[in-house]
């Protein structure tokens, strides 16, 4: 393995590449599955998607904090010119509950020369235990309840949104890999044709020296070599750009970007593994469940959260009816000291006469729900038609690939036959170059068609918004 130490990326990294027997010893293959595995694990956008889940959990914790027990201590004292006007202590322990109820325990101790008469209590203070309740607004739903319910829906929505974000970055990374593969395949093709042209020009030169061919044939053969070299150089520039584009998706653990080196190549046999990597293998259209799509699940959870908000706004149409009742005692250790004749209680009732603000808020909430419902219906049809179109497109690509393979094979046969005729002096370089040009064009179309076919599979993966669990 020591011969691999100087090849991989600009930074020192360790990737477990597979090696093909047909490649040179210093060439490493970056497989599609390994590549996507690194993208999913280390790309900043993929990490950002994980933050969405943590944000959802934090929001839920924050909402549940509205039901945390609370201790309140209020102490006021005034002393002036050796006179203690008042010294008041009020300590309260509150326990909020779900349905607009609040349990409360209280200790109150007051003394001073100028106390308000209603603040007079025994010297050792007075204890109270009671309950407060909202019988109108806030009985079946209140802001604390609504916040918790909406936070739960937001957490589930964050999970769905995370799948969408990860799927999108994996899709973009896949497109970059396919473009890299296309550019690499074109380079190898031009290298082969350049080698063939060089062999041919050497043969023509020997024929010219022997007097069997005219000098013009050598000139034409040299022009072909230069054209092939030009095509190769242009394809190498394209490969360099594709490799840089691919490198934008490769990162290390500490947010360190890496760059692909020239001796790292794509997997040319990707068609045999792509379905398994993208987890779309054996997935017929009949097995596609539209409601399980992350986008629709995200919108559904958003809709449920807005439903809670609408219920809260509808609750505002009810009058405010708040009651409280507290038992009073000097001796809280004695249970019978609490009796109904010693208490502190009251109620508060409020009700707007026109309810214009409340009715307006409720209408706005209903309109927002209706607007979101339209979005959900539209998104459902878009996803369904998009997936259906991609399945049909993939079926067509299978036929197109077969046709282009046959065309390339036929052009190869014609070129080989023309070269044999040329060797017997029955053809010309012009015809050979013409046959070869047709073969090059057909191979370029085959490479382009393969690229479109792979991208169609990636589009299916993206349309299904799948997350790759096996990476």
């Amino acid at each position: 393995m020591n011969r691999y130490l100087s090849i991989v990326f600009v930074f020192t990294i360790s990737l477990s590449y597979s090696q093909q027997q047909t490649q040179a010893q210093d060439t490493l293959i970056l497989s599609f599955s390994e590549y996507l595995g690194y993208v999913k694990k280390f790309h900043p956008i993929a990490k950002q998607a994980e933050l969405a889940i943590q944000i959802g959990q934090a929001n839920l914790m924050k909402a549940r904090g509205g039901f945390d027990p609370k201790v309140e201590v209020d102490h006021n004292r005034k002393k002036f010119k050796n006179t203690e006007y008042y010294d008041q202590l009020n300590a309260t322990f509150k326990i909020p509950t779900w349905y607009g109820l609040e349990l409360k325990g209280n200790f109150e101790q007051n003394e001073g020369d100028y106390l308000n008469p209603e603040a007079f209590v025994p010297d050792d203070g007075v204890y109270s235990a009671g309950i407060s309740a909202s019988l109108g607004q806030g009985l079946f739903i209140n802001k604390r309840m609504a916040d918790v319910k909406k936070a739960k829906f937001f957490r589930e929505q964050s999970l769905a949104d995370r799948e969408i974000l990860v799927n999108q970055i994996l899709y973009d990374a896949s497109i970059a890999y396919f473009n890299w593969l296309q550019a690499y395949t074109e380079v190898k093709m031009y290298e082969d044709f350049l080698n063939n042209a060089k062999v041919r020009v050497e043969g023509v030169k020997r024929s010219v020296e022997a007097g069997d061919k005219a000098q013009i044939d050598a000139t034409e053969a040299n022009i072909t070599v230069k054209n092939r070299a030009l095509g190769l150089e242009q394809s190498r520039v394209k490969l360099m750009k594709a490799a840089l584009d691919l490198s934008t998706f490769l990162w290390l653990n500490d947010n360190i970007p890496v760059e692909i080196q020239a001796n790292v190549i794509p997997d040319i046999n990707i068609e045999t593994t792509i379905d398994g990597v993208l987890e779309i293998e054996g997935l017929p259209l009949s097995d596609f469940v539209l409601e399980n799509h992350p986008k629709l699940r995200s919108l559904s959870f958003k809709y449920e959260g807005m439903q809670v908000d609408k219920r809260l706004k509808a609750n505002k149409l009810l009058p405010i009816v708040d009651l409280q009742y507290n038992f009073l005692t000097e001796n809280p250790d004695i249970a019978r000291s609490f009796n109904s004749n010693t208490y502190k209680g009251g109620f508060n009732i409020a009700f707007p006469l026109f309810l214009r603000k409340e009715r307006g808020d409720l209408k706005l909430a209903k309109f927002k729900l209706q607007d979101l419902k339209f979005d959900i219906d539209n998104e459902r049809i878009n996803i369904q038609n998009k997936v259906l179109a991609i399945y049909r497109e993939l079926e067509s690509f299978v036929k197109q690939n077969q046709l282009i393979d046959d065309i390339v094979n036929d052009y190869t046969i014609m070129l080989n036959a023309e070269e044999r005729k040329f060797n017997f002096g029955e053809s010309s370089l012009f015809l050979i170059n013409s046959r070869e040009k047709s073969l090059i064009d057909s191979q370029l179309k085959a490479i382009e068609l393969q690229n479109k076919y792979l991208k169609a599979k990636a589009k299916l993966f993206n349309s299904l918004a799948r997350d790759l669990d096996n990476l």
Side-chain angles (χ1 to χ4, degrees), residues 334-402:
I334 303 175
R336 66 175 179 273
S337 65
F338 291 95
N339 64 76
S340 58
N341 294 324
T342 305
Y343 66 90
K344 178 182 178 181
F347 65 88
N348 177 46
I349 298 177
F351 186 68
L353 295 181
F354 299 111
L355 293 173
R356 285 181 291 193
K357 178 180 181 302
E358 291 76 8
R359 288 187 288 116
D361 286 341
L362 180 58
K363 285 185 177 181
L364 288 174
K366 290 180 178 179
F367 290 148
K368 289 179 180 179
L369 277 172
Q370 189 176 17
D371 183 67
L372 182 58
K373 184 65 167 57
F374 291 147
D375 284 341
I376 293 174
D377 293 340
N378 181 64
E379 192 67 32
R380 179 180 288 107
I381 295 299
N382 284 340
I383 293 173
Q384 179 177 311
N385 290 341
K386 188 175 182 180
V387 171
L388 180 61
I390 294 173
Y391 270 103
R392 299 291 181 263
E393 185 179 13
L394 286 171
E395 292 174 358
S396 174
F397 273 128
V398 172
K399 298 177 181 178
Q400 292 181 49
N401 279 321
Q402 182 60 52

Side-chain angles (χ1 to χ4, degrees), residues 113-225:
D113 296 337
Y114 296 99
L115 278 177
N116 191 316
E118 70 175 9
F120 287 156
V121 296
D123 293 340
D124 293 333
V126 64
Y127 297 88
S128 64
I131 186 173
S132 62
S134 297
L135 302 183
Q137 289 186 23
L139 177 59
F140 296 108
I141 188 169
N142 52 48
K143 189 176 186 307
R144 288 182 302 198
M145 297 165 61
D147 286 345
V148 171
K149 290 183 177 181
K150 288 193 292 185
K152 288 181 178 179
F153 288 127
F154 180 76
R155 179 186 60 183
E156 298 303 318
Q157 182 183 348
S158 299
L159 291 172
D161 290 341
R162 178 256 178 199
E163 292 182 31
I164 296 172
L165 284 173
V166 171
N167 176 272
Q168 185 62 43
I169 191 62
L170 291 177
Y171 168 76
D172 294 338
S174 299
I175 298 301
Y177 189 93
F178 302 150
N179 290 337
W180 182 45
L181 173 63
Q182 179 183 12
Y184 172 79
T185 308
E186 290 179 2
V187 167
K188 301 306 292 183
M189 182 201 72
Y190 277 111
E191 287 178 348
D192 291 340
F193 281 108
L194 177 59
N195 291 333
N196 292 340
K198 288 180 178 179
V199 171
R200 190 180 302 124
V201 77
E202 292 299 323
V204 172
K205 286 180 180 179
R206 287 193 297 270
S207 296
V208 171
E209 293 173 356
D212 296 333
K213 301 289 183 183
Q215 182 61 40
I216 193 67
D217 289 330
T219 302
E220 184 175 358
N222 279 321
I223 291 174
T224 302
V225 170

